[in-house]
Amino acid sequence: MDTTTGAGTRRRMRSGAVALGGMGLLAAGLVACGSSGEPDKRCADRATLQKLNDNECRSGGRGAYYYGGSTSSGKVKGGSFDKSAVTRGGIGGHSGSSGG
């Protein structure tokens, strides 16, 4: 009986199992990120819609969190200061709202 052939087969199988396990963890991580239910948020001034440093939204700063949308030319747009008004899509989904 040749024991080196058996050991080589076992070693290859373990490598395959590690690769498959790693791919499963990656897929689970992507799904978890995409389905968190939390919209993107950024700190902004309510009056001017100017994007601010996150510190301005913490501990009594002048900013408030703006959910969804995007930032263009230093100003937020396409979202809302009301978190419940914005939904987040899953993988490939669209976050934010459309306005006219």
Side-chain angles (χ1 to χ4, degrees), residues 30-84:
L30 289 173
V31 169
C33 288
S35 62
S36 69
E38 289 292 317
D40 293 337
K41 68 180 179 182
R42 53 195 53 83
C43 188
D45 184 291
R46 283 185 180 270
T48 65
L49 298 180
Q50 192 72 30
K51 185 178 179 308
L52 303 172
N53 185 305
D54 278 345
N55 291 334
E56 293 290 339
C57 284
R58 297 184 194 124
S59 63
R62 66 183 175 119
Y65 282 114
Y66 187 85
Y67 298 93
S70 61
T71 303
S72 177
S73 300
K75 293 194 174 198
V76 293
K77 65 177 186 175
S80 175
F81 285 104
D82 179 8
K83 183 179 180 179
S84 64

